[in-house]
Amino acid sequence: MNNYRYMAGAAKMQIPFPENFFPYHSWGPRRLTGIHDLLCVRCIYISSPGQLLLVSIETGDIDPEWVEKLSFACGVPSENILICATHTHTA
């Protein structure tokens, strides 16, 4: 039997937008004028003998630098971080 302490945690946070963000000109003729539904980031952290960080972010794309920034901020190796974008304008 090992003496390792297993840990898990979950979090949800609203994505803030600056007040001067709208109107936002998107691709094509689209002009976004406000927020219809709040957008959030959700995370699950699991620590057993290793660490795992799962991130779901309600955006349409992911910046590749986010993995390294999360790795630095959370102390989780970048190869143990999974980020998925879950927002779509066609749902």
Side-chain angles (χ1 to χ4, degrees):
M1 180 168 196
N2 66 34
N3 292 328
Y4 191 80
R5 182 180 213 163
Y6 295 87
M7 296 189 312
K12 174 183 173 183
M13 183 175 178
Q14 181 182 338
I15 300 172
F17 289 91
E19 289 191 26
N20 62 350
F21 187 80
F22 297 103
Y24 177 79
H25 297 279
S26 185
W27 46 271
R30 298 181 83 134
R31 180 181 159 130
L32 308 177
T33 59
I35 297 173
H36 183 269
D37 295 316
L38 298 178
L39 301 180
C40 295
V41 175
R42 292 170 176 83
C43 300
I44 297 175
Y45 171 81
I46 301 169
S47 174
S48 58
Q51 295 176 305
L52 177 64
L53 182 62
L54 306 174
V55 181
S56 168
I57 184 166
E58 295 174 345
T59 62
D61 60 353
I62 298 169
D63 187 328
E65 293 180 5
W66 293 352
V67 172
E68 291 303 322
K69 289 180 179 180
L70 280 169
S71 178
F72 179 77
C74 299
V76 177
S78 60
E79 61 269 15
N80 294 359
I81 297 175
L82 173 67
I83 302 177
C84 66
T86 60
H87 186 75
T88 176
H89 291 274
T90 59

